[in-house]
Amino acid sequence: MILNHMVEFQAPHLDAVFHALSDPTRRAMLHRLTDGQRSVSELATPFNMSLAGASKHIKVLEGAGLVRRHVQGRTHMCQLEAARLAEAQEWLRTYERFWTSRLEDLEEILREEDRATAQAAGKLPEKPSTPENTSRRQK
Amino acid sequence: MILNHMVEFQAPHLDAVFHALSDPTRRAMLHRLTDGQRSVSELATPFNMSLAGASKHIKVLEGAGLVRRHVQGRTHMCQLEAARLAEAQEWLRTYERFWTSRLEDLEEILREEDRATAQAAGKLPEKPSTPENTSRRQK
DNA sequence: AATTTAGTCAACCATATGGTTGAATATTAT
DNA sequence: ATAATATTCAACCATATGGTTGACTAAATT
């Protein structure tokens, strides 16, 4: 529970990171940066888009902390900054158990039966499942 | 290179998945589903939001394939569907090497030096770095 | 049969997003 | 000094997003 809190709230970047990743142009840009630094115009060229448009995308990536920029003269060099990607992966790791093992399916089924019985036992409470009262079976 | 293509293009869900994950309400909803199925109103209650609003969020999650819905009578039961999360994690895995090992930093530095020399050697080509001509040092 | 409950739908609103163009800024090359 | 290059900025546009409310549909309860 405490860990969940940490994952959910100790990473206040997730909104920005996931949003940045939701655009294919930006994902492609990140991917090109795995090969090394690229200037803004280098990053822009493969895309059928104005330089200003590409520049905006880069700013989104920068804002999400996925790219760092070093200005050298008139060219802005962009570099992949992976830390926030690690945070995103960490968030996803919480859900790994839902695809890694069929054992988890069984666990899930048991939980379901549990719920079903509880529901059959009586009326649903008025606030049936706030985070506070669903800790019945904590991890 | 072929693998990169696969990661980038064989997962056409990434836009929708990452977009779905970019909203804290939706992430919280997913999280609550790790504890078992929830009806739409159960999912909605913890949030200071109209039922219709929450319903929209759930539809976004459904659209991204992160939630499945079984209608039983008048209640719609929502269930976590993790496969697409696995795809997202798979995409992120491509970047793991950028945070897992300091060895990669060295590799990166070497690549940088390589680039710098190439640049010093002559003018930058007109299309300096299309995906085709940056395969100089392939993975 | 009447009412409550669960949920969607449609219309609306403010703001965000992804894109454009044209002008502005600063650096480098001639 | 002039021109070219690299990039941002500001204004604009269409569409998407996250939210609301009120009306509607369908199922369960009384």
Side-chain angles (χ1 to χ4, degrees):
Chain A
M1 185 65 162
I2 285 157
L3 252 173
N4 294 337
H5 254 74
M6 290 185 37
V7 167
E8 193 61 41
F9 301 121
Q10 215 191 33
H13 312 297
L14 287 176
D15 286 29
V17 169
F18 282 133
H19 170 250
L21 296 183
S22 74
D23 184 278
T25 301
R26 288 192 290 260
R27 286 199 306 278
M29 282 176 164
L30 282 184
H31 192 251
R32 296 203 52 229
L33 288 177
T34 60
D35 200 40
Q37 299 195 5
R38 291 280 182 276
S39 73
V40 169
S41 23
E42 280 177 322
L43 271 181
T45 32
F47 306 103
N48 196 21
M49 185 183 300
S50 70
L51 185 60
S55 175
K56 274 192 186 183
H57 278 298
I58 294 169
K59 249 174 288 184
V60 171
L61 290 168
E62 232 185 329
L66 298 175
V67 155
R68 233 181 318 172
R69 178 193 306 239
H70 333 261
V71 181
Q72 12 181 284
R74 63 182 164 181
T75 94
H76 297 209
M77 278 313 229
C78 298
Q79 188 186 341
L80 181 62
E81 173 65 52
R84 300 276 167 89
L85 289 178
E87 285 181 28
Q89 212 197 29
E90 193 52 37
W91 184 87
L92 282 167
R93 255 186 43 70
T94 309
Y95 296 85
E96 255 177 0
R97 61 193 182 91
F98 287 96
W99 69 76
T100 46
S101 160
R102 293 297 100 189
L103 224 75
E104 299 292 345
D105 288 6
L106 181 60
E107 227 188 289
E108 184 59 25
I109 285 159
L110 290 176
R111 244 183 256 112
E112 252 334 287
E113 281 172 5
D114 193 6
R115 261 185 77 72
T117 341
Q119 227 168 309
K123 236 182 149 107
L124 282 166
E126 209 198 325
K127 278 188 144 195
S129 46
T130 56
E132 294 76 44
N133 67 14
T134 47
S135 41
R136 188 171 22 94
R137 264 209 200 187
Q138 258 165 267
K139 287 272 88 117
Chain B
M1 184 69 160
I2 284 158
L3 252 173
N4 293 337
H5 254 75
M6 291 186 32
V7 167
E8 192 61 40
F9 301 121
Q10 215 191 34
H13 310 299
L14 287 177
D15 286 31
V17 169
F18 282 132
H19 170 248
L21 297 183
S22 75
D23 184 278
T25 300
R26 288 192 291 260
R27 286 200 306 278
M29 283 177 164
L30 283 184
H31 192 251
R32 295 201 56 227
L33 289 176
T34 61
D35 200 40
Q37 299 193 8
R38 291 280 183 276
S39 74
V40 169
S41 23
E42 280 176 322
L43 272 181
T45 32
F47 306 103
N48 197 21
M49 186 184 300
S50 69
L51 184 61
S55 174
K56 275 191 183 183
H57 279 297
I58 294 170
K59 248 174 287 185
V60 171
L61 290 168
E62 232 185 329
L66 297 175
V67 156
R68 235 183 317 172
R69 176 193 309 238
H70 333 263
V71 181
Q72 11 182 284
R74 63 182 164 179
T75 91
H76 298 208
M77 279 312 229
C78 298
Q79 188 186 341
L80 181 61
E81 173 65 54
R84 299 276 166 87
L85 289 179
E87 285 182 27
Q89 211 197 29
E90 194 51 38
W91 185 87
L92 281 168
R93 256 186 43 71
T94 309
Y95 297 86
E96 255 177 359
R97 61 192 181 90
F98 287 96
W99 70 77
T100 46
S101 160
R102 293 297 101 189
L103 225 74
E104 299 292 345
D105 288 6
L106 180 60
E107 227 188 288
E108 184 59 25
I109 285 159
L110 290 176
R111 242 183 261 110
E112 252 335 287
E113 280 171 5
D114 193 6
R115 262 183 76 72
T117 344
Q119 225 169 310
K123 236 188 152 98
L124 282 167
E126 210 198 321
K127 279 189 142 198
S129 44
T130 57
E132 294 76 45
N133 66 15
T134 46
S135 39
R136 185 172 24 95
R137 263 206 201 191
Q138 255 165 274
K139 288 270 90 115

